[in-house]
Amino acid sequence: MAQRTRLALKPHDSDLKKNLLFHCDNLDCINYLQKHGFESKIDLVYIDPPFLSGERYFRRVDNDSNLAFEDLWKQSKYLEMMHKRLAEIRKLLSKDGSIFVHLDWHAVHYVKVMMDRIFGPENFRNEIIVKRGRRKNLQYQFESIDRMHTAYDSILWYSKSAETKFAPPLAKHHSKAKWMGFWSNVNRPTMRYEIFGVRLVRGQWKWAKERALKAVENYRLYEQKFSSMMTLEEYWESTGKKLEFVRKRPGVKYAEYWIPPKTHRIIDNVWLDIQAYNYSTGYGTEKHAQLLERIIGQFSKEDGLVADFFCGSGTTLAIAQKLGRRWIGCDSSPAAIAVTKKRLGSGFSIVNIN
Ligand SMILES: C[S@@+](CC[C@H](N)C(=O)[O-])C[C@H]1O[C@@H](n2cnc3c(N)ncnc32)[C@H](O)[C@@H]1O
């Protein structure tokens, strides 16, 4: 069971190592963290605030459902609420920290302009497009429509500093090895060296001369000594997956280079390959583990501190825990805290600051 404590956090290292769940308004939580040594300490913030949707959201329990939270804001009040929180969250972000803000068309453009002001436009990284959940396109039943069905949400990614660099984000993707033409129609005369007796008059070879000649030699060696014993892929694996190969087949005009098999691809900002929503806890706006696995797994370090100040059913916290990150969560809704406590089980402290 999670212990219910009235923690008097002091900025001690041991306190910073605990996972913390706050049940209160997140502005109080953020201010509390600022006063207790968390300034510049959080490496990744994901928030999924109300979207300015004008709807009420429920928590389903068995066959019953009770109110989880209301998203019934006037636009000006909503933007005021978001501004206060985003400006204060910025102070909590570490030097290399990032924030991901999940929204949809109702507010994303206003919040983008607001975040440019708070974080600086130079710290804007991407707007990420994610697929909406199960909502069906119901427009087949109508003869005329006001607008098209909305099928995506947006996530705004900002960093604290423009200097921070990230490893290219990867997704699992299997592709077989293949040979591709070594000629390219980009016109660089310095890349038109002679290879297999061919000297180009236009275009260029894909790689610089030294690299290409080494790859020709690699393939020649494979053909001479190893091709009767193993495939090229097996040879490439047995030599440490580093060698490159270039070959020329009779009857084919240009040389070809070998593209090794791939297990991953670098992703761009359109994330249609994963789910953004899930329905496992009965909490109305629950986000999918896949989404948080991608954000936390790709954009925070292994021992980093992750926070979600609108944590709802606790998806961010559960995934942070699974991936070995420390976490801080907050929600003002009793339904959200009940679901989160059940989901997380143990290994955290509940902070009561009132
Ligand atoms: C869209 S839901 C978050 C869903 C969450 N990402 C999940 O996976 O379940 C937004 C949450 O923000 C909470 N919330 C709204 N205003 C808040 C505030 N001022 N302080 C704390 N929580 C707030 C709501 O109670 C709600 O649970």
Side-chain angles (χ1 to χ4, degrees):
M1 278 292 283
Q3 49 180 138
R4 185 168 178 87
T5 32
R6 191 184 167 89
L7 282 180
L9 288 183
K10 294 197 189 92
H12 287 157
D13 285 353
S14 59
D15 293 324
L16 297 180
K17 288 198 166 58
K18 287 177 182 150
N19 296 325
L20 303 172
L21 180 62
F22 289 75
H23 181 192
C24 56
D25 187 299
N26 49 25
L27 195 55
D28 294 339
C29 162
I30 292 161
N31 289 335
Y32 185 84
L33 291 172
Q34 284 173 2
K35 287 192 197 123
H36 290 83
F38 286 84
E39 217 164 87
S40 304
K41 288 286 189 294
I42 299 180
D43 301 299
L44 187 144
V45 172
Y46 167 85
I47 55 170
D48 174 24
F51 283 6
L52 195 58
S53 67
E55 291 185 29
R56 290 189 170 83
Y57 296 94
F58 296 86
R59 175 200 177 195
R60 222 180 349 90
V61 197
D62 302 323
N63 289 330
D64 210 4
S65 65
N66 39 47
L67 185 68
F69 70 100
E70 294 182 323
D71 185 355
L72 303 174
W73 295 84
K74 271 178 68 177
Q75 191 194 65
S76 58
K77 288 281 173 209
Y78 174 85
L79 294 175
E80 199 182 303
M81 177 279 286
M82 288 298 288
H83 190 282
K84 276 188 194 151
R85 283 151 182 85
L86 288 168
E88 297 306 315
I89 289 173
R90 190 184 165 276
K91 297 179 191 162
L92 294 175
L93 282 182
S94 65
K95 179 171 72 57
D96 291 325
S98 284
I99 178 165
F100 293 78
V101 181
H102 194 143
L103 294 163
D104 76 359
W105 61 273
H106 290 90
V108 66
H109 304 97
Y110 299 98
V111 175
K112 166 76 172 64
V113 173
M114 180 193 289
M115 290 186 78
D116 274 351
R117 293 211 188 99
I118 296 171
F119 289 84
E122 70 282 8
N123 291 314
F124 171 69
R125 298 297 175 132
N126 282 112
E127 176 179 355
I128 300 163
I129 301 301
V130 294
K131 200 165 46 180
R132 280 203 63 90
R134 275 185 199 156
R135 275 197 197 174
K136 282 199 190 125
N137 186 344
L138 300 174
Q139 295 184 338
Y140 290 101
Q141 36 186 323
F142 304 115
E143 296 221 331
S144 60
I145 55 167
D146 297 326
R147 60 177 75 89
M148 287 183 277
H149 171 72
T150 302
Y152 75 95
D153 288 350
S154 296
I155 301 177
L156 300 173
W157 173 26
Y158 282 76
S159 57
K160 178 89 170 256
S161 153
E163 264 78 69
T164 307
K165 299 275 181 264
F166 298 85
L170 300 174
K172 280 193 184 138
H173 171 83
H174 288 274
S175 68
K176 290 189 176 155
K178 60 182 175 186
W179 289 95
M180 293 284 287
F182 197 52
W183 181 81
S184 149
N185 65 359
V186 181
N187 231 347
R188 266 192 296 175
T190 52
M191 299 276 276
R192 290 192 202 137
Y193 48 87
E194 186 175 314
I195 191 167
F196 297 113
V198 177
R199 183 173 278 279
L200 299 172
V201 287
R202 65 182 187 90
Q204 64 163 79
W205 300 121
K206 290 224 163 133
W207 300 341
K209 183 174 179 182
E210 198 181 334
R211 181 177 172 194
L213 294 182
K214 181 90 186 67
V216 170
E217 179 55 22
N218 289 342
Y219 190 69
R220 196 190 56 75
L221 186 68
Y222 164 72
E223 279 272 85
Q224 268 181 7
K225 293 202 173 156
F226 301 98
S227 60
S228 60
M229 293 183 273
M230 59 181 101
T231 64
L232 184 61
E233 194 169 323
E234 286 163 349
Y235 178 61
W236 172 75
E237 275 171 8
S238 70
T239 51
K241 298 186 175 181
K242 292 244 161 33
L243 293 183
E244 295 179 316
F245 305 104
V246 169
R247 73 177 181 187
K248 171 81 175 68
R249 283 183 296 152
V252 176
K253 188 172 177 192
Y254 291 133
E256 297 163 310
Y257 72 109
W258 190 71
I259 300 181
K262 289 196 174 68
T263 53
H264 289 84
R265 67 181 173 89
I266 297 177
I267 55 173
D268 57 31
N269 67 337
V270 181
W271 295 3
L272 302 182
D273 57 323
I274 55 169
Q275 300 295 319
Y277 285 77
N278 200 9
Y279 309 90
S280 69
T281 62
Y283 198 80
T285 52
E286 179 187 338
K287 297 303 175 291
H288 206 289
Q290 288 179 338
L291 176 67
L292 273 305
E293 268 167 17
R294 179 164 289 178
I295 292 174
I296 296 171
Q298 304 279 349
F299 301 106
S300 71
K301 46 186 199 260
E302 265 174 35
D303 58 348
L305 179 57
V306 171
D308 184 344
F309 298 107
F310 295 82
C311 74
S313 67
T315 313
T316 308
L317 321 179
I319 300 308
Q321 188 144 307
K322 179 176 160 193
L323 298 180
R325 275 65 164 172
R326 290 168 300 130
W327 56 261
I328 297 171
C330 177
D331 206 289
S332 53
S333 156
I337 295 298
V339 176
T340 298
K341 275 164 68 177
K342 191 168 164 207
R343 190 169 186 186
L344 271 295
S346 60
F348 61 95
S349 296
I350 296 181
V351 188
N352 182 1
I353 57 176
N354 299 315

